[in-house]
Amino acid sequence: MQIKPIAHVLMAAGVAAACAGASITAQASSHREAPLIAGLPKVDNTDFYMFNSYESGREGFVTIIANWVPLQDSYGGPNYFALDDAALYEMHIDNNGDAVEDITFQFQFDTSFRKFSVPTGPGLDGAPTESAIPLINIGPISRPADANLNRVERYTMNVVRGDRRSGVSQPVTDSSGATSFIKPVDNIGEKSIPDYQSYADAHISDITIPGCSAAGARVFVGQRREGFYINLGEVFDLINLNPVGDRSEGQNIIDDKNVTSFALEVPTECLTAGQEPVIGAWATASLPQARVLDPTPDLDAPTADGGAWTQVSRLGSPLVNEVVIGLPDKNLFNASQPANDVSNFATYVTNPTLPVLANVLFDTAVPTPPRLDLVQAFVTGVDGLTKPANVNLATLAGAGEMLRLNTAVPATPIGSQSDLAFLGCDLSGFPNGRRPIDDVVDIALSVALGAITAENPNGLQTCDVSNPASPSVVPGAVVTDGASLANAGDGLFIDQFPYLGLPLPGSPFESSEPNGGGTGL
């Protein structure tokens, strides 16, 4: 086993920037990860991705994807999975390394109901009667805001420069100058929507972002296939699997789920600042501070909402709130901002609890606390890869947890990507941003058990970056949940925007079990 110099260990420790001691008890990335958000699925941010676009011809663009509403069954009618009109959904960009947003993309929704009714014959008084239908469509659907849709979701998108609440806010427009966009209805089934791909593609909009002079930005908000893959049941049954076994021996138990995806593709030059190539990003959802239930609710306004925006969901790097933050502080983490992370949550990183639990269950070696190296990696980005120039490793000025991307590192072509990203010596993947293909669970598990430490006490696979021009894989075991790209399932991803595959239809629904055996592409 090669021993890596400390500088290169710190580079490798970027893997830990997203998990900082994550253990084997990972849940699907931010799916119901905190007590409060578990009861608010419409504003539960499940996964967050950011990467240099690898679609052919889209060099010079960054794709940002925030997923919401966890664990959607495709047959979840009759209401399916609408978003919250009272909520404010946001993607934040820090492009100068101070752990404070410089650019924020805001999304707000406005749902309208057509309240279709049909003749139902004579009533009790003998007069003709019409009754409202109980469904969200009355016939086949083929185009945005189709006349057969009983419920239409529209959204507006603003860009805010500066503070998210007090900065300059301007509307984003489509190619016609309109400020309102339409979200496609979920994939009800093949009888209701015979060609879902064409229908969904009609909702991809070319957009103009104020303050961004480069052309080519686009947005899509709608249901997609759940791309996060994990052997969820066995993980929570006291890790009822072989964590250093064959990566293909398990299954992706959530292969039959969909998710609601906010996908945004922006010219790189519109996100970076000056000569700094590294950007950090995270997503949040906020609700009005007060919500009053109407005792006689109608369809359009069943609650009264008011007061200041209150953040209830937050996600940057994957698995942080699930496996790093202790149970008493999970709600607080979701309400916090990166600039406060060092003062609020450092102990969870310096003295992580979950690697200790893994040691008890499997007698595995773990690094000795306090994990000051992980504190630096967790909140600063990786020196020489994803650390912004303004972040100070000694004082931690500018530090804060978020997903960071070095936009100067070229995207690895789709056919050459490694799902183990850094551990597979693919430096354009996690922790340098995150792509849908990246197996962040296995990466996090391996890092928790020492893959990127100098001694690598469990002999795990890692990447030797002592020669940056030619990094090489150091063979070894991979700590795994058994779900890998090889058995994730067919159709999870596509190689073009919005990158996540088409959502599974509610009908015909062939099986409730993961199909397995696919490449995930």
Side-chain angles (χ1 to χ4, degrees):
M1 181 63 63
Q2 292 181 324
I3 303 300
K4 300 182 287 297
I6 188 62
H8 298 116
V9 171
L10 284 176
M11 176 178 283
V15 177
C19 59
S23 91
I24 301 175
T25 55
Q27 195 188 64
S29 183
S30 288
H31 291 45
R32 298 169 50 82
E33 83 286 354
L36 177 62
I37 202 64
L40 300 167
K42 288 186 176 183
V43 287
D44 186 354
N45 189 190
T46 68
D47 282 287
F48 187 67
Y49 306 89
M50 179 170 64
F51 51 91
N52 287 324
S53 298
Y54 46 84
E55 177 182 347
S56 178
R58 299 296 287 184
E59 298 81 9
F61 286 83
V62 170
T63 295
I64 307 169
I65 302 173
N67 290 343
W68 306 86
V69 193
L71 304 176
Q72 298 178 15
D73 291 321
S74 61
Y75 46 82
N79 292 299
Y80 298 94
F81 303 97
L83 292 166
D84 192 335
D85 285 0
L88 180 64
Y89 300 87
E90 297 177 290
M91 300 174 178
H92 309 282
I93 307 294
D94 169 22
N95 60 18
N96 61 7
D98 63 356
V100 176
E101 68 272 6
D102 300 294
I103 304 171
T104 296
F105 297 100
Q106 297 179 334
F107 300 79
Q108 288 186 277
F109 288 80
D110 182 17
T111 303
S112 61
F113 296 92
R114 290 172 170 152
K115 302 176 183 177
F116 294 140
S117 61
V118 294
T120 54
L124 292 176
D125 60 0
T129 301
E130 286 197 357
S131 299
I133 69 168
L135 308 175
I136 62 172
N137 65 304
I138 200 169
I141 301 162
S142 62
R143 60 189 182 276
D146 195 288
N148 285 329
L149 272 173
N150 204 9
R151 183 185 73 199
V152 178
E153 291 182 89
R154 291 182 170 85
Y155 64 96
T156 56
M157 180 181 172
N158 283 13
V159 60
V160 181
R161 300 188 183 276
D163 182 270
R164 68 180 79 175
R165 299 292 174 260
S166 61
V168 177
S169 177
Q170 296 175 283
V172 173
T173 58
D174 68 12
S175 56
S176 70
T179 59
S180 179
F181 304 85
I182 298 172
K183 173 184 172 288
V185 71
D186 295 342
N187 196 356
I188 298 168
E190 295 177 4
K191 185 174 183 180
S192 290
I193 314 174
D195 184 357
Y196 197 85
Q197 178 169 347
S198 295
Y199 170 69
D201 287 350
H203 295 80
I204 298 175
S205 298
D206 296 323
I207 57 175
T208 298
I209 301 173
C212 172
S213 60
R218 50 187 175 175
V219 68
F220 171 84
V221 175
Q223 192 180 50
R224 304 304 289 184
R225 185 77 176 274
E226 173 60 85
F228 188 86
Y229 47 97
I230 185 172
N231 192 10
L232 198 58
E234 283 77 5
V235 164
F236 277 101
D237 183 21
L238 294 179
I239 317 172
N240 188 13
L241 47 81
N242 180 4
V244 291
D246 187 342
R247 292 183 70 217
S248 63
E249 68 182 9
Q251 61 179 341
N252 174 23
I253 197 65
I254 59 173
D255 179 39
D256 61 345
K257 305 300 182 184
N258 295 325
V259 72
T260 301
S261 188
F262 292 45
L264 178 63
E265 190 174 37
V266 182
T268 305
E269 64 187 83
C270 297
L271 297 175
T272 55
Q275 300 300 310
E276 174 61 74
V278 175
I279 57 176
W282 67 102
T284 64
S286 298
L287 291 170
Q289 194 167 19
R291 171 166 287 183
V292 179
L293 299 177
D294 189 333
T296 56
D298 62 14
L299 180 63
D300 297 306
T303 65
D305 301 271
W309 288 118
T310 303
Q311 184 178 303
V312 295
S313 180
R314 168 188 170 187
L315 180 58
S317 296
L319 304 171
V320 171
N321 208 0
E322 291 84 349
V323 299
V324 179
I325 307 301
L327 183 61
D329 287 323
K330 287 181 179 292
N331 291 336
L332 176 63
F333 181 83
N334 270 345
S336 65
Q337 299 186 29
N340 299 320
D341 287 343
V342 173
S343 59
N344 284 341
F345 310 113
T347 301
Y348 290 119
V349 184
T350 60
N351 296 79
T353 59
L354 294 176
V356 177
L357 299 179
N359 174 263
V360 171
L361 287 169
F362 299 103
D363 196 28
T364 52
V366 296
T368 303
R371 300 290 298 273
L372 299 181
D373 59 326
L374 293 185
V375 171
Q376 293 180 346
F378 179 65
V379 297
T380 65
V382 185
D383 196 14
L385 182 62
T386 60
K387 185 188 81 66
N390 287 347
V391 173
N392 190 304
L393 290 173
T395 66
L396 299 184
E401 190 281 313
M402 64 188 74
L403 186 64
R404 290 184 171 90
L405 172 69
N406 188 333
T407 62
V409 176
T412 302
I414 184 68
S416 301
Q417 294 175 2
S418 169
D419 61 329
L420 287 176
F422 177 85
L423 296 185
C425 286
D426 180 357
L427 301 186
S428 73
F430 183 69
N432 185 18
R434 179 190 175 190
R435 305 164 303 195
I437 196 176
D438 293 340
D439 191 343
V440 293
V441 174
D442 285 9
I443 297 169
L445 301 183
S446 297
V447 169
L449 296 186
I452 51 79
T453 60
E455 63 274 18
N456 197 352
N458 293 298
L460 303 175
Q461 177 176 320
T462 188
C463 180
D464 181 2
V465 293
S466 56
N467 180 2
S470 183
S472 59
V473 173
V474 178
V478 174
V479 185
T480 181
D481 66 336
S484 67
L485 189 64
N487 62 15
D490 296 322
L492 268 62
F493 316 121
I494 57 177
D495 58 3
Q496 60 191 30
F497 187 83
Y499 289 99
L500 296 181
L502 291 173
L504 293 167
S507 166
F509 190 76
E510 297 180 358
S511 172
S512 62
E513 296 297 325
N515 55 44
T519 63
L521 296 174

